[in-house]
Amino acid sequence: MGTEIVEMDEVEIIPAEVVPISIDRTVSASTRERIEAAVPVNTKRAYERQWSTFTAWCSTTGRTPLPATAETVAEYVSSMCDLDRAPATIDQAIAVIRRAHRGAGLEHQPDTAAARLVLRAYRRQRAESGQRPHQAPPAVIDVVRALVAASDPTTIVGLRDRVMIVLGFAMMGRRSELIAIMISDVRETPDGLLVLVRSSKTDQDATGVEVAIPYGSHADTCPVRLVRSWLVRLAEHGITDGPLLRSVNRHGQIGQGLSGGGANKIIRTAAQRAGLPNADKITMHSLRAGGATSAYKGGAPVDSIARQGRWAPGSPVVLGYIRAVDQWADNPMAGVGL
């Protein structure tokens, strides 16, 4: 029996049914851009990095990233534990995987209960082996003075460093907040500086808040005097708008705004110049933590500290700084006479 040859013009072609997409399920390009812009750039990068790492692992192990099973997520978390990743990093990875599924319309997937049990066991294992969560050491007032003293204000880079150090401390500023400050965000008043923080981790709607910074007691560490000198130096170079804190090359030429990594490098380099212990661990967060710790030691109430640093009321982070001070100030053994 031969194969029957059928001419195409003898066959009735029935087009596939086209299901129209409801206008109610679409958004415009500008709306999509605004949705994307709602997520901070640094957060978006971290999410993209985490998702890329997960999908690469799935490709290597032959697993499916979307939709992922509970077993896949648990195994992935276990593999991160084997690599000695920080628990906070693993916790973020779990959240990113859930977020990707939610974005794909897969609500409540995957089940992460097993993955979180793996993480809990890993945390316990690290604690039993003496590992503790990494925390940048707080740069209290004595550390700030040492950092400032090691930065030469007669040079452009040294003056820039001083401004970054004292602002980070006095504002209790997040790294992202400091590098986002524009020249137009700084306003001098008879009482000190008002610095506009346009948005922050606890102000996702970008309502904005002005942070009041009073005059300092010492000229070398006074935020008002240092910022004033820096603005004059910038104006001498024709810079009157744009980022306040900027890169400076080895020839003393002022560039554009700083990256988060660049800001941390500046502070760490200053710590090394000052010969501080654990200089390689000092970061921009050290200034934020040091500002809160020093303020509490100086008698500032907790709610004022939280407001100055833009922490949520009752933030466990702020309470952690306070406990670190109180464990010595209110130590029950202090008056025993050992």
Side-chain angles (χ1 to χ4, degrees):
M1 182 186 304
T3 302
E4 182 181 2
I5 305 298
V6 180
E7 298 292 338
M8 288 302 296
D9 57 4
E10 298 177 11
V11 179
E12 181 183 2
I13 305 297
I14 302 175
E17 181 181 359
V18 177
V19 179
I21 299 175
S22 170
I23 188 66
D24 296 320
R25 304 292 296 176
T26 65
V27 294
S28 65
S30 60
T31 300
R32 186 173 298 280
E33 287 175 5
R34 290 189 175 103
I35 292 172
E36 289 291 324
V39 181
V41 174
N42 288 342
T43 302
K44 191 181 299 182
R45 286 176 184 157
Y47 286 176
E48 289 172 352
R49 185 167 56 249
Q50 287 278 19
W51 181 248
S52 176
T53 303
F54 174 61
T55 55
W57 178 85
C58 285
S59 177
T60 302
T61 57
R63 292 177 178 263
T64 303
L66 190 72
T69 63
E71 293 80 3
T72 289
V73 182
E75 195 63 31
Y76 178 60
V77 166
S78 187
S79 73
M80 295 183 79
C81 297
D82 292 340
L83 294 172
D84 198 30
R85 297 288 185 257
T89 299
I90 299 174
D91 200 31
Q92 185 188 63
I94 296 172
V96 167
I97 293 169
R98 284 294 295 266
R99 183 175 184 270
H101 282 68
R102 187 169 64 250
L106 301 170
E107 291 288 342
H108 311 301
Q109 292 189 47
D111 182 352
T112 58
R116 294 202 175 277
L117 287 174
V118 172
L119 178 55
R120 182 186 299 174
Y122 177 57
R123 281 195 170 108
R124 185 177 295 116
Q125 176 190 354
R126 285 169 63 92
E128 290 172 353
S129 65
Q131 289 180 280
R132 302 178 62 185
H134 170 72
Q135 290 183 330
V140 293
I141 187 62
D142 289 342
V143 172
V144 168
R145 288 182 181 135
L147 291 169
V148 166
S151 304
D152 183 2
T154 64
T155 66
I156 293 175
V157 68
L159 180 57
R160 187 275 317 274
D161 290 1
R162 284 193 173 196
V163 171
M164 179 180 293
I165 291 163
V166 297
L167 277 184
F169 181 80
M171 289 178 61
M172 303 178 197
R174 295 179 177 89
R175 181 178 63 177
S176 58
E177 296 170 351
L178 288 165
I179 63 178
I181 297 173
M182 297 289 130
I183 292 173
S184 59
D185 295 335
V186 181
R187 182 162 56 95
E188 187 172 340
T189 75
D191 297 313
L193 292 177
L194 285 174
V195 180
L196 175 64
V197 176
R198 301 187 182 205
S199 67
S200 67
K201 187 176 180 180
T202 52
D203 180 23
Q204 294 296 315
D205 293 331
T207 303
V209 62
E210 279 192 319
V211 181
I213 304 175
Y215 279 88
S217 302
H218 305 278
D220 285 351
T221 53
C222 173
V224 183
R225 296 180 181 90
L226 286 170
V227 169
R228 185 191 299 151
S229 297
W230 178 240
L231 290 174
V232 169
R233 189 69 65 89
L234 289 176
E236 290 172 351
H237 287 76
I239 301 171
T240 57
D241 59 9
L244 176 70
L245 298 171
R246 294 169 173 261
S247 61
V248 180
N249 68 18
R250 59 192 181 90
H251 302 295
Q253 296 170 321
I254 302 174
Q256 298 302 310
L258 295 166
S259 66
N264 268 344
K265 184 177 180 181
I266 288 168
I267 297 302
R268 192 170 292 119
T269 301
Q272 291 167 346
R273 285 199 307 265
L276 294 174
N278 298 319
D280 60 323
K281 294 183 174 61
I282 291 179
T283 67
M284 291 294 292
H285 188 78
S286 298
L287 297 171
R288 177 168 166 81
T293 302
S294 299
Y296 186 68
K297 281 184 177 180
V302 177
D303 59 342
S304 294
I305 294 170
R307 186 167 57 252
Q308 182 77 357
R310 295 154 307 287
W311 280 286
S315 165
V317 176
V318 178
L319 296 177
Y321 297 144
I322 290 167
R323 282 193 292 270
V325 175
D326 284 347
Q327 68 181 343
W328 299 109
D330 299 329
N331 194 293
M333 298 303 294
V336 170
L338 281 175

